Amino acid sequence: MTESIIDAASAAKSTPASLITRHRADFASVLPPTMTVDRWVRLAISAVNADDKLAEIFRRDRGASLMRALMRCATLGHEPGGGLFHLVPKGSSIEGWEDYKGIIQRIQRSALYSKVIVEAVYEHDEYEFDQNVDERPRHSKAKGDRGKPVSAYAYAVQFQGGAISKVAEATKEMIAASKAKSRGSDNAASPWNSPAAPMHRKVAVRELEKFVSTSALNLRVTGGMLVDLTSPAAVDDSYDDFADVA
């Protein structure tokens, strides 16, 4: 009984800042060496404190889902709350969502590509692409009202010679399937319903990720020196042991 009271009292005193600071070394172990852990920790604390819903979930699950999200963020080489990776309150847990711009950032960090092209295709646009014939899509944007977004595509342009990667298409069917899996996608405020089509673009960029190199470490800064850290596929989501328990 005494231990239960002590455990409860300890958990009640815990804050996002105390848990994040306590596991500073865990974040440092997966962050790319070009990133400063002290700055990263400060940004993580600020990102959580800026959202009351995140703080509420933290109190309920003692920080388990927060740590999973933050460890994923660190492993991918992103800063929390910087627009490339989002901490999102979903039901009873905190989820870590990499923005499509975050994926683009990792592609560019590989130092192999001069740019990444990502375009949404709208109802009134003219669009043609045959993977067996065309190097890249023939896309003519409609003047005036372009209608609703219906699909998207993405490809990367290499530094050497300007060759392009395989073109990744987010077809209408792929878009519909992804949207169906997303909770709240029918809500008017959902990014799925934004005229800028960020989710359509994200589906295309995720598809592109299968065909190009990415890096958590910014190889443009290191002069192309490869420091093998980890890839998104190697991210371990099993961080329940980081829950803030006595």
Side-chain angles (χ1 to χ4, degrees), residues 104-105 107-117 136 155-165 212-213 220:
I104 292 175
Q105 183 74 248
I107 294 172
Q108 293 180 319
R109 286 179 195 151
S110 71
L112 297 176
Y113 310 100
S114 60
K115 57 184 175 181
V116 177
I117 305 298
R136 66 189 75 194
Y155 59 88
V157 181
Q158 295 181 10
F159 273 116
Q160 296 185 349
I164 72 169
S165 69
V212 296
S213 297
R220 296 170 297 183

Side-chain angles (χ1 to χ4, degrees), residues 54-65:
L54 296 179
E56 176 60 31
I57 294 173
F58 173 88
R59 287 190 289 270
R60 289 203 301 263
D61 73 0
R62 298 186 179 184
S65 61

